[in-house]
Amino acid sequence: MGGGGGLNAAKAAEVVSVLEPNLVVPMHYSTPDTKLSLDSLNKFLKEMGLSKQEAQPTLKVSRSSLPEETHVIVLEYQKS
């Protein structure tokens, strides 16, 4: 969702509003190690009308655990 070969932050937020998924996990955004010019995670969160989200180390999903409203989950950035 950071641009480059993917959607920029605004377009990604627009797609989320059209699809109305239960969960959104942002990826392909600017990090301290990014060499590409990408939008930041915070820019996407702002487009979604959210403030900074606390990153989680993992995500486990089951059908019964899905939220009714769209929920953005930020996973911890792990340098490869």
Side-chain angles (χ1 to χ4, degrees), residues 49-70:
L50 302 170
S51 59
K52 188 172 181 173
Q53 302 286 83
E54 189 69 33
Q56 299 179 194
T58 61
L59 173 64
K60 292 183 181 182
V61 179
S62 66
R63 187 174 296 274
S64 62
S65 71
L66 290 173
E68 290 186 30
E69 298 289 323
T70 299

Side-chain angles (χ1 to χ4, degrees), residues 12 23 25 33 36 38-39 44 53 55-56 62 67 74-75 80:
L23 293 175
V25 180
D33 298 307
L36 300 171
L38 300 173
D39 288 343
F44 172 71
Q53 302 286 83
Q56 299 179 194
S62 66
V74 176
L75 295 177
S80 45

